[in-house]
Amino acid sequence: MQEGTSSIPFPRSVSHRSDQADPDTSSSALILAENQTVIGKLPSLLAHLSAREREIVLSHGRRKVYYKGATLFNQGTPHDGIYLIESGRIRVFYISPSGREITLAYWYPGNFVGGPEVFGTGLHSWTGVAASNSSAVWLPGKQLKALITEIPALAIGIIEGLAFKGKCYSTMAQMLGTRSATERLVHLLLHLTDTYGIPDEAGIFIGAAFTHADFAHMVGATRQWVTIFLKRLQNDGIIQCRKSQIVVRDRTALAAMQNVQT
């Protein structure tokens, strides 16, 4: 078992407290995308199953609790199945040979991580860690493969999930290839403002904490560049930084920067 995790038999319930509030999970993923509505919300992996079928599938799994920072799987290690997220959020990222990271997505409850080779063959293409205290059901690849012959609706859930992830990663590649770093960060700030914004006396408070490194990993930039750019926005009165939290003071001015090629 990895450090920072605990494993408990399935049907026992899990409760935990996170050191920061989780974003609203009305969307099923946080990812760099031109249009979040095009991606939509993924139905749960088990959405097409009857109550009895869900019970059968989950009886083959094991629920694990992952404290913030704990690793679910590592890039380059053998696949051993998938992880169905029940609570919290999981960050999935790629590490280049030079050590640079790019965040692929933050996945929320209802999604599974550990693909794309869901049946436990091949090697992991990226790493998954708990971005907040989380719980997930680990479903071994061999049992999963056997289950889809018994429960065809499970295969539909897996196919829909893989298609959804493919669409997410495609939109991210489009953003990275066609938008400047400035546009990508502004776009991300606007999305966070619209999705997790809370009215504040100073403007719109983004109700989800992300560090400068988190932003850098999402938009494909360096932490130093993100820090400099956010300081510039603060000096211009567009945002107000409060440690790892941000208040957008002038959304109109921020939106006007979406097509700035710098």
Side-chain angles (χ1 to χ4, degrees):
M1 186 184 306
Q2 298 172 27
E3 183 179 358
T5 71
S6 63
S7 177
I8 53 182
F10 174 68
R12 182 177 171 184
S13 62
V14 175
S15 63
H16 62 72
R17 293 188 59 182
S18 174
D19 59 349
Q20 67 181 44
D22 281 326
D24 179 3
T25 56
S26 57
S27 61
S28 51
L30 173 59
I31 193 167
L32 189 66
E34 192 76 49
N35 189 338
Q36 295 284 337
T37 59
V38 171
I39 295 176
K41 179 174 172 58
L42 170 73
S44 168
L45 173 67
L46 309 181
H48 300 288
L49 277 62
S50 67
R52 176 56 183 162
E53 289 171 334
R54 286 195 294 270
E55 182 180 345
I56 292 172
V57 171
L58 293 173
S59 70
H60 287 79
R62 180 179 293 273
R63 179 183 280 123
K64 297 183 180 182
V65 175
Y66 297 92
Y67 297 108
K68 182 181 178 181
T71 300
L72 283 73
F73 50 90
N74 276 303
Q75 179 178 322
T77 60
H79 275 275
D80 59 1
I82 62 173
Y83 300 77
L84 176 59
I85 305 170
E86 292 193 312
S87 65
R89 65 184 187 273
I90 305 299
R91 174 181 173 241
V92 175
F93 59 95
Y94 172 78
I95 305 175
S96 73
S98 65
R100 187 169 180 176
E101 293 183 14
I102 181 72
T103 295
L104 303 177
Y106 286 87
W107 297 106
Y108 299 149
N111 283 284
F112 64 86
V113 293
E117 298 187 60
V118 298
F119 298 135
T121 59
L123 303 176
H124 283 290
S125 300
W126 36 73
T127 297
V129 300
S132 66
N133 292 345
S134 307
S135 65
V137 176
W138 172 63
L139 294 168
K142 290 182 179 180
Q143 283 90 327
L144 192 63
K145 188 173 185 178
L147 282 168
I148 65 170
T149 62
E150 179 183 349
I151 307 174
L154 178 60
I156 295 175
I158 293 173
I159 293 170
E160 287 183 344
L162 292 175
F164 178 81
K165 292 175 186 296
K167 186 163 55 175
C168 286
Y169 294 152
S170 176
T171 58
M172 183 188 71
Q174 292 166 9
M175 284 286 289
L176 290 172
T178 63
R179 293 280 193 160
S180 69
T182 295
E183 290 177 311
R184 295 195 297 268
L185 182 53
V186 167
H187 185 85
L188 177 61
L189 290 173
L190 288 169
H191 173 59
L192 293 175
T193 301
D194 294 341
T195 306
Y196 311 122
I198 301 171
D200 183 274
E201 60 182 8
I204 304 174
F205 168 68
I206 296 177
F210 292 93
T211 67
H212 292 186
D214 292 332
F215 286 137
H217 293 153
M218 286 200 71
V219 302
T222 66
R223 182 187 59 78
Q224 292 83 353
W225 179 86
V226 169
T227 298
I228 292 171
F229 185 73
L230 291 179
K231 185 176 181 180
R232 170 188 160 191
L233 292 180
Q234 180 164 259
N235 291 340
D236 290 343
I238 297 175
I239 68 171
Q240 179 182 352
C241 297
R242 302 173 180 173
K243 296 184 178 180
S244 60
Q245 298 175 328
I246 291 177
V247 175
V248 176
R249 301 181 63 186
D250 190 339
R251 191 194 183 285
T252 301
L254 185 64
M257 301 181 67
Q258 284 191 98
N259 297 314
V260 176
Q261 293 286 336
T262 59

